[in-house]
Amino acid sequence: MKFKITVINGTSQPVDASSVSIGVEAQFDSTRAEPVYDSNGPCGGGGMSTATILPGRTFSYEAAYAVGAAPGEMQLAFQPYFGGDKAVYLGPA
């Protein structure tokens, strides 16, 4: 399953996108979903995204995860820095 992830910097300081993309926790139907690293293939992306996101700006990147063939529920949890609040996506996949 491939996702387009958009990070919105609502702070007054620049944010390093790699700090957001490296600590993603992914689950499909309550089981760990492994990232797919396919930089030149149809899944695109995978791994760390590098960019500086200025205050008030956004940055989008694509990430793919290995999931089951049947529809299920996907959960992605993002934590931009250790101990910080998490942003969680929960929805169908």
Side-chain angles (χ1 to χ4, degrees):
M1 179 64 67
K2 184 167 137 179
F3 295 88
K4 180 178 181 180
I5 299 164
T6 300
V7 180
I8 302 168
N9 183 355
T11 73
S12 61
Q13 299 294 317
V15 171
D16 181 0
S18 64
S19 67
V20 176
S21 63
I22 200 166
V24 179
E25 298 171 5
Q27 296 179 28
F28 179 74
D29 281 345
S30 301
T31 302
R32 179 175 165 78
E34 295 293 331
V36 174
Y37 300 103
D38 187 25
S39 60
N40 295 320
C43 290
M48 185 172 29
S49 294
T50 58
T52 299
I53 311 166
L54 297 176
R57 303 298 301 248
T58 63
F59 174 72
S60 296
Y61 67 97
E62 293 183 337
Y65 297 91
V67 300
E73 184 176 70
M74 188 72 179
Q75 176 180 310
L76 298 172
F78 302 88
Q79 187 174 24
Y81 54 89
F82 183 74
D85 293 336
K86 292 183 180 182
V88 179
Y89 163 82
L90 182 64

